[in-house]
Amino acid sequence: MIPIQRFALSFLAGSFAIGSGLLHPIDVLAGEVRVYSGRHYATDRQVFKKFYLETGIVPKLIETTDMSIIEKLKREGKNSKADIILLVDAARINNAAKAGLLQSYRSEKLDKEVPSKYRDPKGRWYALTRRVRIIIANPSKVDVSQIKTYADLADPKLKGKVCLRKRNSPYNQSLVADQLVLRGEVETRKWLKGMTSNVSEPYFPGDIALTRDVARGTCGVGIVNHYYVARMLAGINGSRDESLARKVKVITPNPAHVNVSAGGLARYSKNKEEAIKLLEYLASPDGSRGLAGPTFEHPLNGYSQAKELRGFGSVNPDKVTISQLGEYNAKAIRMMTRSGWE
Ligand SMILES: [Fe+2]
């Protein structure tokens, strides 16, 4: 067993290269599971490795950007080799389910590990990690004490000071869907109108670029996912970003919009049993913490205690379910477009 394990480990490392289609006798011996992942975090590999060591099942990770996973699966159809699909954001995982790319299944373990608001009522996907959409502000540009909720960004006092990521980002689509569920159509429309009329900078391509501009004072206030700021603070993007992130004040609305990364069983999975085992592992306290720790996300239960998150305030997730975010996605996009959100 020892020589096989040693061999499998080196194979495992190789199989993590993008799109590697290598085959090896260990596949036959221990089983395998092919993962199409839109979680482009190198640190996920450690979690897959741990799963292999516990079960002998070899996960083969195929990383690609989220939209191309969905396109890839549609193109591959019945011939797809995917067993598991991992995607970030409620809108994406719900869209994959709607497009018939996932299959329903029931697992007692998953039903136990994943709180019901974080899983598909039809059993097509389960959340694995959580992320919070936070407000960031530059205290030299705005009165931070006046900003507590997403709604506050519509305040006319913030004219010319609000910066937003582009409408096509699912993160913002899910935030708007969240507000639609919580506050209804009329209030959400007013909020969108007020907030977009406070925007003067061109809409941003990503959360990191937006954080940098809030730090530099080009923007007074913006909305991003919490882990981008944490990663900058941790120095992962270099020392320049680290010092920029220090200039930003993080405001975690109470309650906050919480989004997820999630996994589901691919419709044409050929290794169903192994795939469910891997999903159960990823959603377990060990697996979820393993995924969330290095990326500064939060696990499914409890919250990251990373020192970079200490100044962010505590998280109190609002009552909106991930499935509701999917239901309201199309409407959210329509309303964003009408409000002038570019
Ligand atoms: Fe992200």
Side-chain angles (χ1 to χ4, degrees), residues 59-72:
K60 292 189 173 179
L61 187 59
I62 297 156
E63 291 184 69
T64 167
T65 60
D66 290 343
M67 286 326 284
S68 72
I69 285 185
I70 293 183
E71 290 314 311
K72 190 172 158 69

Side-chain angles (χ1 to χ4, degrees), residues 13-117:
S15 75
F16 284 144
I18 293 169
S20 163
L22 295 171
L23 284 171
H24 189 272
I26 194 72
D27 295 352
V28 183
L29 289 173
E32 68 169 30
V33 50
R34 285 179 192 257
V35 183
Y36 283 22
S37 179
R39 282 181 53 87
H40 38 82
Y41 308 119
T43 47
D44 285 2
R45 293 167 191 201
Q46 292 307 315
V47 184
F48 290 113
K49 191 169 162 185
K50 224 171 150 197
F51 171 76
Y52 163 72
L53 292 171
E54 282 183 20
T55 62
I57 298 166
V58 181
K60 292 189 173 179
L61 187 59
I62 297 156
E63 291 184 69
T64 167
T65 60
D66 290 343
M67 286 326 284
S68 72
I69 285 185
I70 293 183
E71 290 314 311
K72 190 172 158 69
L73 284 164
K74 282 184 183 167
R75 226 179 7 227
E76 290 172 347
K78 284 182 187 166
N79 298 322
S80 177
K81 292 199 165 63
D83 296 306
I84 286 183
I85 316 301
L86 302 183
L87 292 170
V88 298
D89 195 89
R92 289 191 178 115
I93 196 76
N94 276 293
N95 286 338
K98 248 186 257 167
L101 302 171
L102 303 174
Q103 56 174 301
S104 288
Y105 61 98
R106 283 253 87 99
S107 148
E108 264 177 43
K109 273 193 193 161
L110 282 165
D111 286 346
K112 188 177 141 269
E113 305 288 13
V114 187
S116 62
K117 71 191 280 197

Side-chain angles (χ1 to χ4, degrees), residues 50-278:
K50 224 171 150 197
F51 171 76
Y52 163 72
L53 292 171
E54 282 183 20
T55 62
I57 298 166
V58 181
K60 292 189 173 179
L61 187 59
I62 297 156
E63 291 184 69
T64 167
T65 60
D66 290 343
M67 286 326 284
S68 72
I69 285 185
I70 293 183
E71 290 314 311
K72 190 172 158 69
L73 284 164
K74 282 184 183 167
R75 226 179 7 227
E76 290 172 347
K78 284 182 187 166
N79 298 322
S80 177
K81 292 199 165 63
D83 296 306
I84 286 183
I85 316 301
L86 302 183
L87 292 170
V88 298
D89 195 89
R92 289 191 178 115
I93 196 76
N94 276 293
N95 286 338
K98 248 186 257 167
L101 302 171
L102 303 174
Q103 56 174 301
S104 288
Y105 61 98
R106 283 253 87 99
S107 148
E108 264 177 43
K109 273 193 193 161
L110 282 165
D111 286 346
K112 188 177 141 269
E113 305 288 13
V114 187
S116 62
K117 71 191 280 197
Y118 297 132
R119 55 179 147 90
D120 179 28
K122 294 183 184 159
R124 294 167 298 181
W125 51 260
Y126 292 82
L128 304 171
T129 63
R130 299 183 293 167
R131 50 265 302 281
V132 186
R133 202 94 183 121
I134 53 164
I135 298 171
I136 48 170
N138 184 320
S140 69
K141 293 283 162 189
V142 297
D143 181 355
V144 175
S145 71
Q146 296 298 302
I147 304 166
K148 291 193 164 61
T149 67
Y150 309 107
D152 292 337
L153 269 60
D155 188 332
K157 274 188 235 136
L158 295 175
K159 192 103 202 147
K161 291 182 178 167
V162 174
C163 286
L164 294 174
R165 184 170 176 165
K166 288 181 177 168
R167 181 182 73 219
N168 65 9
S169 155
Y171 298 160
N172 282 330
Q173 295 169 9
S174 290
L175 170 66
V176 175
D178 174 85
Q179 296 294 291
L180 263 170
V181 176
L182 279 180
R183 307 178 63 225
E185 193 172 329
V186 174
E187 285 303 310
T188 302
R189 190 177 299 120
K190 268 195 237 163
W191 167 59
L192 287 174
K193 200 172 166 234
M195 185 165 66
T196 53
S197 63
N198 284 340
V199 170
S200 60
E201 288 297 311
Y203 284 73
F204 284 73
D207 286 7
I208 294 176
L210 204 159
T211 307
R212 288 179 184 139
D213 273 26
V214 170
R216 291 183 189 120
T218 321
C219 307
V221 60
I223 304 175
V224 295
N225 279 358
H226 81 277
Y227 53 82
Y228 289 108
V229 183
R231 247 179 267 168
M232 286 169 77
L233 283 171
I236 291 172
N237 305 345
S239 58
R240 192 182 295 173
D241 271 357
E242 187 183 337
S243 49
L244 281 173
R246 285 185 204 288
K247 296 186 177 138
V248 159
K249 164 79 182 151
V250 170
I251 300 153
T252 301
N254 180 11
H257 161 52
V258 169
N259 207 323
V260 296
S261 76
L265 184 61
R267 173 148 179 207
Y268 298 109
S269 168
K270 319 269 186 304
N271 302 293
K272 208 169 150 175
E273 205 178 302
E274 292 83 354
I276 294 172
K277 268 192 195 148
L278 177 55

Side-chain angles (χ1 to χ4, degrees), residues 271-289:
N271 302 293
K272 208 169 150 175
E273 205 178 302
E274 292 83 354
I276 294 172
K277 268 192 195 148
L278 177 55
L279 283 165
E280 287 172 345
Y281 176 72
L282 297 177
S284 71
D286 214 29
S288 181
R289 264 187 248 129

